[in-house]
Amino acid sequence: MSVEQQSKRPVTVIGLGPMGQAMAGAFLDAGHAVTVWNRTAGRAAELVGRGAESAPSAEAAVAANELVVLSLTDYDAVIAVLESAEPALKGKVFANLGSDTPERAREVTRWLAERGAEHLNGGVQVPPSGIGSPESSVFYSGPAELFERYRDTLEVLAGTDYRGDDPGLAQLYYQIQMDLFWTSMVGYLHATAIAEANGISAEEFRPHAVSTAALMPWMIEFYAPRITAGDHRGDVDRLTMGLAGIEHVRHTAEASGVDGELPALLAQVLRRAVEAGHGEDSLSALVGRFRRA
Ligand code: NDP
């Protein structure tokens, strides 16, 4: 072990998909001693070539270091791996940076606590290429003291955004970001399909798509304080107007030979709100309509 490695916290990384590979690589680049384990053993080869230690089992990987970073597909995989490492769990700290639901994050915290281990949950907001950059950001939640203890080491991976004690919060913030991301991206791709069906290439559409997407920050800044205040005045937009607009999109899609299912779904959401008496309210009234409880 080099002198630099001795002064830095050694870390175990379990799960060597593209994300886990990037994380283990970032720790190596920053001079940490890294132990890795992956279900499919061949995936450790490149990291071993860069100086990582490949553990023979998940149990040995957990036993190797106090801090264990998990980068697995979901929390079923987390439990499957940790069950196989059960004798080594006590006293360990798991930074679980894969994605799943807030409730599953809370369950994993309870499961680990029953075995004498601690859990910091993380929601990674960047692709593997963003790991190792302080401009990137990962949501964390779990005990504040635990987060502070490992913060310096975790900041090797990306900037940290601590959300609070409730272990579900990191996944909650991650999933609401993903909700916004997926609905926006699918909307962009649907619009591109209509453009292409009419001979407008994605490249020709690009500057127009960018200028419409650039309205989003302005709209979020405008609506957020109104939504917080429960102010859904239809002074700048109205649901009846939005419904007519979405129906025009649907008709344009269908006339272009493009599936109109997506705008039809949006129209259905708005129509229900209009039928419930919100026709003269702002689009922001949908927030209350989406809530079931
Ligand atoms: P992959 O699905 O490519 O890798 C998942 C890892 O989980 C692999 O090492 C795989 O092992 C392991 N695994 C899955 N199921 C099991 C199991 N039952 N037992 C043991 N090991 C298992 O995912 P990524 O590396 O892309 O992502 C990891 C996590 O990070 C995910 O939760 C993802 O949502 C999240 N994330 C990923 C981003 C990305 O852009 N890639 C961005 C933000 C978050 P094996 O090699 O043997 O299959």
Side-chain angles (χ1 to χ4, degrees):
M1 193 186 287
S2 70
V3 174
E4 191 189 11
Q5 281 179 331
Q6 283 170 17
S7 68
K8 298 201 172 176
R9 188 188 297 283
V11 188
T12 288
V13 178
I14 292 183
L16 300 176
M19 188 54 88
Q21 298 254 356
M23 289 176 173
F27 282 126
L28 287 171
D29 289 346
H32 291 256
V34 178
T35 301
V36 294
W37 182 82
N38 191 62
R39 178 179 59 178
T40 307
R43 285 183 135 176
E46 199 237 319
L47 291 160
V48 169
R50 290 167 63 189
E53 187 80 26
S54 177
S57 64
E59 185 183 336
V62 171
N65 294 305
E66 183 184 73
L67 178 62
V68 181
V69 171
L70 301 171
S71 179
L72 298 160
T73 305
D74 54 28
Y75 294 174
D76 283 344
V78 167
I79 297 295
V81 169
L82 295 187
E83 271 175 346
S84 76
E86 196 137 2
L89 301 183
K90 195 171 179 192
K92 302 296 176 177
V93 174
F94 291 90
N96 181 13
L97 307 186
S99 133
D100 210 313
T101 65
E103 193 41 42
R104 292 288 277 144
R106 296 179 188 116
E107 279 169 28
V108 169
T109 299
R110 289 192 287 270
W111 191 92
L112 283 168
E114 285 162 11
R115 287 153 183 85
E118 294 177 285
H119 183 212
L120 270 176
N121 195 263
V124 180
Q125 298 181 71
V126 288
S129 57
I131 296 298
S133 158
E135 289 86 46
S136 301
S137 183
V138 177
F139 293 125
Y140 284 95
S141 60
E145 173 278 323
L146 194 63
F147 171 72
E148 286 303 333
R149 206 186 320 152
Y150 294 95
R151 182 187 195 140
D152 283 356
T153 305
L154 295 170
E155 280 179 351
V156 167
L157 301 178
T160 56
D161 186 349
Y162 177 71
R163 297 284 86 213
D165 272 356
D166 169 2
L169 279 174
Q171 289 306 313
L172 186 59
Y173 273 89
Y174 176 76
Q175 298 305 344
I176 58 181
Q177 296 284 90
M178 286 296 102
D179 187 359
L180 179 57
F181 173 80
W182 285 115
T183 49
S184 307
M185 269 310 288
V186 172
Y188 160 66
L189 296 171
H190 190 266
T192 303
I194 300 176
E196 286 200 325
N198 288 280
I200 301 167
S201 70
E203 193 50 24
E204 285 170 305
F205 178 42
R206 179 170 58 97
H208 307 285
V210 167
S211 83
T212 298
L215 291 174
M216 281 289 283
W218 180 88
M219 288 194 284
I220 291 168
E221 299 289 351
F222 175 78
Y223 283 116
R226 284 186 165 211
I227 294 168
T228 301
D231 174 2
H232 302 295
R233 262 173 303 155
D235 53 350
V236 292
D237 67 327
R238 283 176 300 119
L239 275 162
T240 44
M241 182 189 85
L243 177 57
I246 288 170
E247 285 293 13
H248 296 155
V249 173
R250 179 169 71 85
H251 292 140
T252 304
E254 286 169 352
S256 307
V258 169
D259 195 323
E261 196 179 10
L262 191 64
L265 184 64
L266 297 181
Q268 189 186 11
V269 169
L270 267 70
R271 191 173 298 107
R272 280 200 203 121
V274 169
E275 286 169 3
H278 293 283
E280 297 306 305
D281 290 348
S282 162
L283 209 56
S284 64
L286 287 180
V287 174
R289 297 293 308 163
F290 282 128
R291 288 191 62 175
R292 292 202 171 141

